[in-house]
Amino acid sequence: ATRVLIGGCSAGGRGALYNLDHACERVRLFARKATGGAERAPPRCEGLVDAGWWSEGEPTAAQRAQGVPSLEEVAEAAVACYGPAAAPRELPLAFGKPTAVARSPSDSVCGECSALAANPSHCLLGPTCAQHTRTHYFLAQSQYDSFAGGFALGTAPPHGAGTLGRAPAGWEDGSVLAERAREQRVAYSGEWRQAWAAAQRSGEGLSGVFATTCYSHCLSTSGAWFRATAGGRTAADVFESWLDSGSELAIDDCSDGIAGGLECSRNCPYQPIDQPCACDVRTSPASTKEAEKQCGDGSCCASTLGAGR
């Protein structure tokens, strides 16, 4: 093989990210063994992390009252349970009898992270992990990730597939839930931009990002990989370009309403909607008059429905 891609979605995406440096180091070792030590260019080894980025974030008071922890606290519990240092890893059976190998810096979570980070549990969170991962990888994740959002908020934002309808109680514009959903989107996109920019300077780590404003989790396991867009391009298009160029950044930059207005992702499996009604002409041919007719009271965000969209 001349190229190896290690990836997964959700927990599989986190597993790929946490072990990426170690796995790619082993790929290169195995390649040398397979060629009998002959001088050949090592395989190109990279990662695909789909919906595997965890961040800090405080659950709502309602979630706290039910005993729901933050993802940071889940990471702390995991490290307390399993320890920051794992036992020496073994070579797979395919290369003979399993034999413990000498530990190297890449043997810890996210490269050298658990050995160097001030707080090893933060190595399980995307921003800290990205600082220590040397292998190039591509991240695909929604700014309204349904797992992370549901975990922190306890309820889904109002969402649909190009339909019109009122926001459910508690999600009115300016509500705690609406503001927290916006905060989550801004925090995620900011972390990805920062990690991507650092990778451009260092030549290591997170070198490709595709981030929609869909309400979803795991794009690569469904047809949405070929349909949902960020900046007018699908995940499949951006990923293919990244495989060639080694650097891609496609993050929808939206600002108004929960959904973020008309310049956001198209063809989402589910799309967070604006307040007080959904005005999603991105996936629906509804005109302003049709939208007002369906709402019936003139409150369907006519000002945000652009002509000809």
Side-chain angles (χ1 to χ4, degrees), residues 34-299:
T35 59
E39 289 294 328
R40 292 185 183 177
R44 183 174 173 180
C45 187
E46 297 154 312
L48 169 59
V49 179
D50 185 2
W53 186 280
W54 275 14
S55 293
E56 298 180 33
E58 180 69 13
T60 62
Q63 285 290 83
R64 279 296 194 191
Q66 297 182 48
V68 176
S70 67
L71 293 178
E72 181 181 10
E73 290 166 340
V74 173
E76 290 173 352
V79 170
C81 181
Y82 296 106
R89 308 194 191 205
E90 296 181 339
L91 298 178
L93 284 171
F95 285 82
K97 183 179 179 181
T99 304
V101 296
R103 291 184 62 81
S104 71
S106 74
D107 281 351
S108 70
V109 170
C110 295
E112 301 174 297
C113 186
S114 62
L116 299 177
N119 185 341
S121 68
H122 285 182
C123 295
L124 301 182
L125 303 178
T128 303
C129 181
Q131 294 174 21
H132 297 276
T133 300
R134 295 173 296 172
T135 304
H136 282 208
Y137 65 97
F138 184 94
L139 174 71
Q141 188 152 337
S142 173
Q143 297 171 56
Y144 291 103
D145 184 78
S146 57
F147 170 78
F151 199 84
L153 305 177
T155 180
H159 60 280
T163 59
L164 296 167
R166 292 196 173 282
W171 278 96
E172 297 81 8
D173 196 24
S175 67
V176 171
L177 290 175
E179 291 305 311
R180 290 294 298 276
R182 291 191 187 101
E183 290 170 5
Q184 180 192 48
R185 174 181 59 78
V186 172
Y188 268 131
S189 61
E191 289 174 356
W192 299 332
R193 291 180 190 278
Q194 185 175 4
W196 182 85
Q200 300 309 296
R201 295 190 295 269
S202 68
E204 300 176 338
L206 179 59
S207 56
V209 180
F210 177 85
T212 70
T213 51
C214 300
Y215 178 72
S216 62
H217 188 67
C218 289
L219 285 176
S220 63
T221 56
S222 73
W225 181 258
F226 302 95
R227 294 193 300 270
T229 64
R233 303 163 67 198
T234 67
D237 290 337
V238 176
F239 179 65
E240 184 175 354
S241 179
W242 173 80
L243 288 173
D244 291 333
S245 68
S247 178
E248 281 289 341
L249 182 69
I251 301 178
D252 269 341
D253 187 11
C254 312
S255 59
D256 65 300
I258 288 182
L262 297 175
E263 297 305 320
C264 292
S265 303
R266 298 174 184 268
N267 303 321
C268 292
Y270 294 99
Q271 173 78 57
I273 62 175
D274 289 329
Q275 308 293 333
C277 302
C279 297
D280 193 355
V281 293
R282 292 160 289 202
T283 56
S284 169
S287 66
T288 301
K289 289 184 178 180
E290 290 171 338
E292 296 295 355
K293 182 178 180 180
Q294 290 189 47
C295 256
D297 59 3
S299 62

